[in-house]
Structure formats: structure tokens, C-alpha cells
Amino acid sequence: ALISISTFLKPIIADFGWLRGETSFAYMAGAIAIGFGGIGMGYLSDRYSTRPVVIVGILCLGGSMFLLARQSALWQFYLYYCILGGFGASALDAPLLANVGNWFNRNKGLAIGLAMAGRALGQGFVPFGSGLLISASGWRDAYATVGIISLVVLLPLAFFIRNPPGLQEAKKASRKVSAS
């Protein structure tokens, strides 16, 4: 969803009259937020579990899309993209990739590569679909629709996330070593 900003730039600029550079800064802010958020979300998924972190991320992702559909000032645009990146996308990236890698003793690289391929597919499809939605109903409705689709599709999928076998025992062992 973060990368779909490319399809939203022209209609948003046309609506608000913002400069292209100041509008596209939202992407940079969101990308930086993913970097910092990924560290935090990775820590939280290690500490608690992947599923609750991902669920919060999905809610932030969908929520930020609804906020973007209602934004009216440049600072809001930046803030909502920071929420989208820092809490939404980062809660999906690092925790899910770590979870996938922890399921495999052999071919971890292949497993993570397949997960990244799915992510790349989404990075191609979401902007394309967003462009179609913008053409059909405008950028505000497109953001809202992407938010609804994110919640309707991703939330049920989050309940299929399981911790890898032996992960809890490894965490307990790690805590004992740290306490010693």
C-alpha cells in the first residue's frame, strides 16, 4: 500500500495544488517509518508473538487508508503515511519474514524468497488496482476501498499465523540464559 502513492500523486496534487516534491515526501517519510518501525515490530513479535503484531499492523494499514481518504492538509498526508509505514507495513514485513524463516531448518532462503515474491506481487497489484479505482471513483474513494479490502482480506488471513514449532521453548531457554 505504501508504494501505491505513485498512483495517487497526480490526483492529489491536482486537488490540493501541492508541489510534486512536497507531496512525494510522504513516501520518503513512510519508508523511513518502515525502517524504524521494523525494528520495533520485530522486537514486539519476538517478545509476544507474530499474530498480534500483524493484526495491529493490519488495523493501522486499513486505518491509515481511511485517514488518507479524509485528509485535507499536507501535514496529515505525511502523518498518515508515517502511520502506514511505521505501524502498518513494518508490522507485516519484519515479523512475517522472521516467522517464515523460523519454520524451516533447511531452505530458509527459499522460504523467505517465496514470501518476498508474494510481497512483490502485492507491490505490483496494489498500485495497478489503485489506479483502476482512482479512474472509476476518485482518489478518496480509492483510498477508502483499498482500506476496506486490506481489512477484509488481511484480517482473516492473520488468524492463520502460527508460531513455529519449538519457538516458545527456545524463548524460554534464551530467557534462562539471560537471567543467569
Side-chain angles (χ1 to χ4, degrees):
L2 184 68
I3 204 160
S4 70
I5 191 171
S6 60
T7 58
F8 287 92
L9 279 181
K10 282 186 179 182
I12 289 173
I13 289 169
D15 249 16
F16 292 110
W18 299 335
L19 298 174
R20 186 171 179 83
E22 64 187 4
T23 308
S24 62
F25 179 79
Y27 176 78
M28 187 177 90
I32 291 169
I34 286 177
F36 287 111
I39 296 166
M41 296 302 171
Y43 170 78
L44 290 173
S45 69
D46 284 345
R47 175 142 185 151
Y48 298 105
S49 179
T50 302
R51 184 187 303 155
V53 173
V54 168
I55 289 172
V56 168
I58 292 166
L59 294 173
C60 289
L61 180 87
S64 66
M65 291 295 172
F66 286 117
L67 292 170
L68 284 164
R70 304 292 170 241
Q71 51 101 8
S72 60
L74 191 57
W75 70 268
Q76 292 172 336
F77 193 55
Y78 297 158
L79 176 64
Y80 303 154
Y81 262 91
C82 283
I83 293 169
L84 173 65
F87 296 104
S90 66
L92 301 175
D93 281 353
L96 286 174
L97 289 176
N99 189 290
V100 167
N102 285 327
W103 273 93
F104 296 90
N105 291 323
R106 293 181 29 224
N107 298 322
K108 283 185 183 201
L110 176 61
I112 291 173
L114 288 169
M116 292 296 293
R119 179 178 177 239
L121 182 64
Q123 287 179 337
F125 180 75
V126 173
F128 176 75
S130 296
L132 295 175
L133 289 169
I134 292 167
S135 295
S137 60
W139 68 268
R140 289 186 187 274
D141 287 344
Y143 268 134
T145 302
V146 171
I148 290 168
I149 292 170
S150 297
L151 294 172
V152 168
V153 171
L154 297 178
L155 267 177
L157 290 174
F159 291 97
F160 288 102
I161 297 171
R162 302 279 183 259
N163 286 330
L167 185 64
Q168 290 304 99
E169 293 78 21
K171 284 183 181 181
K172 288 178 187 174
S174 174
R175 287 186 192 129
K176 286 180 184 178
V177 169
S178 297
S180 302

